[in-house]
Amino acid sequence: MTQRQTLTTLRDLLAEAETRAAQRFGAANQACAEAQRKLQTLEQFRDEYRDKYRAALERGDPFALLENLRQFLARLDQAIDLQAQAVAQATLEVERARAAWQAAMGKRKAFDLLLARQTAAEKAQEEKSAQKLLDEWASLRAIRTHDKGGTHR
């Protein structure tokens, strides 16, 4: 396997790794957005039930109903705290996934550059070899033309 083939293979592997990292980043973004939606939903429920609790207090509803609403609000607050932690964790995962994707992209770009340099070096070498062959051919032709001209006269 030539050096160029090796570099091409490595670049292809890095491109695949970059794709996987981008997919993980996308999935982390979606998971984070979903966690944030759940948190907003829980907060909306809490606000609605807080309003119901205040209205029940103002109406002078029975203590048992008020206590049930208060306990339910406490459970909602706990669920909100847990969901807020889930959002924070999901946000950290998004940042980790972004960093991994950017690192993978950087590696792939570096190999693209290395491969481009390798290709340019090979092309320059081929052109140099071709020019050398042309120079040799021109020299041989000049010698033959000179010899033919000198032997016939």
Side-chain angles (χ1 to χ4, degrees):
M1 186 178 271
T2 67
Q3 183 178 5
R4 183 173 181 194
Q5 289 170 326
T6 301
L7 289 176
T8 301
T9 300
L10 288 173
R11 194 239 9 236
D12 291 346
L13 291 173
L14 289 172
E16 289 172 15
E18 178 187 358
T19 300
R20 288 190 304 275
Q23 290 168 341
R24 284 190 297 274
F25 176 52
N29 269 327
Q30 288 177 344
C32 186
E34 181 60 28
Q36 289 171 341
R37 279 191 294 277
K38 287 179 181 180
L39 178 60
Q40 289 173 348
T41 300
L42 286 170
E43 288 171 339
Q44 287 172 351
F45 280 146
R46 179 190 57 198
D47 293 344
E48 289 172 15
Y49 275 93
R50 196 174 276 158
D51 291 344
K52 288 179 183 183
Y53 181 72
R54 286 184 186 136
L57 276 174
E58 290 174 5
R59 284 191 309 265
D61 285 354
F63 177 77
L65 176 66
L66 293 173
E67 184 60 19
N68 284 341
L69 283 171
R70 189 192 62 73
Q71 288 176 2
F72 184 70
L73 282 168
R75 286 193 298 274
L76 271 176
D77 284 337
Q78 289 173 345
I80 287 170
D81 288 343
L82 289 173
Q83 191 60 35
Q85 290 173 13
V87 167
Q89 186 62 38
T91 302
L92 285 174
E93 185 56 35
V94 166
E95 291 308 313
R96 280 188 220 121
R98 180 193 329 265
W101 172 55
Q102 289 173 335
M105 189 175 10
K107 287 178 185 178
R108 194 248 330 133
K109 284 182 178 181
F111 263 84
D112 283 346
L113 180 61
L114 189 59
L115 188 58
R117 287 181 183 167
Q118 178 70 26
T119 301
E122 287 175 1
K123 184 177 179 183
Q125 183 60 40
E126 288 171 5
E127 289 173 358
K128 186 176 178 181
S129 295
Q131 185 62 48
K132 184 178 177 183
L133 286 173
L134 283 173
D135 290 346
E136 288 175 7
W137 179 78
S139 294
L140 286 174
R141 186 169 181 203
I143 291 170
R144 287 184 185 153
T145 304
H146 180 66
D147 286 346
K148 285 184 182 178
T151 57
H152 290 284
R153 293 191 184 184

